[in-house]
Amino acid sequence: MFGPASQDDRAVLALLRRELRGAVPMVRSRRRRPGRRGPWIDVARVCRESWRNHGEIVTVRRRNRPRRQRRVLLLIDVSGSMKEHSAAYLRFAHAAVGCLDRVEVFTFGTRLTRVTEPLRAREVDLAVGSLSEIVLDAEGGTRIGPSLQEFLANARYVTMARGALVIVLSDGLERGDCGPMRAAVRRLSLLGHRLLWWTPLACDPAYRPVTRGMSAVLGSVDTLAGVRDLRTAYEQVQNLARE
């Protein structure tokens, strides 16, 4: 289902791994940690050291909230209309999982599937190839709204989206009622730090998001961009790094 990566793909993946680290927004950790500087005194450490020095305070120890990468949430459309692009999207996800601190990856077509753990395999072809046995709805129908609602119905998954950089990789061609899709994307937008929507259709300069699905969610999307392969994904990562 997902063929091997070409030499050109591997070259771009190497560039992506290097660029992604600096492109993901940073955030202050909620936990206070020991540091050389900081607004909080580390009372416990000061007391322990003073006890060893017969009650003398030699150094005032500090605590701060260090900066770290935001969580990244990737939601990848593997339906039939995305057949030409799904493998590239999953290779992009493999690069993200391999080089970023906190990444979660899900696929959706007619159902939602968490694929983060299989993508931790070191070799990209092994990792992506193993998904053939896990992603059972690949190249099938499209139920974007219900799949995203399934994600939001799981309290653990909602935690993954809170404060995250959320990237949906899909053409947005929903079938049937677009109400669930509109509601789910709206909530994802409110939960996350930013919501990016990458679609192969937007690679065409004449593209306009006028389909029922995309027009319904456009107001909840921070950035709509064209991504059809690893090269265009790399271009968007570079844009993200400049923001």
Side-chain angles (χ1 to χ4, degrees):
M1 179 169 57
F2 303 118
S6 66
Q7 287 301 113
D8 184 63
D9 287 340
R10 292 178 182 275
V12 180
L13 284 169
L15 294 173
L16 276 166
R17 294 187 193 99
R18 185 181 66 192
E19 195 78 21
L20 274 166
R21 293 186 182 94
V24 175
M26 304 294 286
V27 63
R28 289 283 181 187
S29 171
R30 291 186 178 183
R31 293 185 178 182
R32 300 176 187 178
R33 301 184 185 277
R36 295 180 62 184
R37 298 181 179 84
W40 299 281
I41 295 175
D42 192 336
V43 177
R45 288 179 69 199
V46 169
C47 290
R48 286 196 302 270
E49 291 181 3
S50 68
W51 181 79
R52 290 195 294 268
N53 290 295
H54 308 288
E56 294 288 335
I57 297 177
V58 178
T59 304
V60 177
R61 302 296 183 181
R62 298 281 179 173
R63 294 178 73 85
N64 60 24
R65 293 170 54 200
R67 293 172 66 82
R68 63 175 180 176
Q69 291 172 341
R70 283 190 179 274
R71 188 189 301 276
V72 176
L73 173 63
L74 301 177
L75 299 165
I76 300 176
D77 189 341
V78 294
S79 63
S81 63
M82 296 294 294
K83 180 179 178 179
E84 295 182 15
H85 312 285
S86 296
Y89 288 175
L90 291 168
R91 291 182 190 119
F92 169 77
H94 177 265
V97 169
C99 72
L100 299 178
D101 296 335
R102 300 183 300 160
V103 184
E104 290 293 340
V105 186
F106 293 78
T107 64
F108 64 88
T110 57
R111 57 186 287 183
L112 184 76
T113 307
R114 182 171 179 257
V115 296
T116 309
E117 292 307 318
L119 289 175
R120 295 193 192 282
R122 187 179 182 86
E123 216 290 315
V124 61
D125 285 344
L126 178 63
V128 175
S130 69
L131 299 182
S132 299
E133 300 177 1
I134 302 169
V135 181
L136 303 180
D137 56 338
E139 302 178 12
T142 307
R143 298 176 69 244
I144 301 175
S147 296
L148 297 183
Q149 286 189 323
E150 183 182 346
F151 176 92
L152 293 166
N154 187 310
R156 180 169 171 243
Y157 294 170
V158 167
T159 301
M160 298 174 183
R162 189 168 285 116
L165 175 66
V166 182
I167 306 179
V168 182
L169 298 101
S170 170
D171 55 15
L173 300 179
E174 178 69 302
R175 295 181 179 178
D177 183 13
C178 293
M181 179 177 168
R182 181 192 300 110
V185 173
R186 174 63 177 164
R187 189 176 175 204
L188 276 174
S189 176
L190 294 173
L191 282 170
H193 166 65
R194 291 184 65 199
L195 194 156
L196 314 183
W197 196 291
W198 291 355
T199 169
L201 302 179
C203 290
D204 182 352
Y207 171 73
R208 297 292 181 272
V210 295
T211 59
R212 289 184 305 130
M214 288 309 304
S215 61
V217 304
L218 194 59
S220 300
V221 174
D222 293 298
T223 301
L224 177 65
V227 173
R228 60 172 173 262
D229 52 22
L230 290 173
R231 290 241 170 232
T232 47
Y234 178 61
E235 291 171 5
Q236 292 307 319
V237 169
Q238 289 181 305
N239 291 337
L240 186 61
R242 289 191 286 264
E243 293 177 0

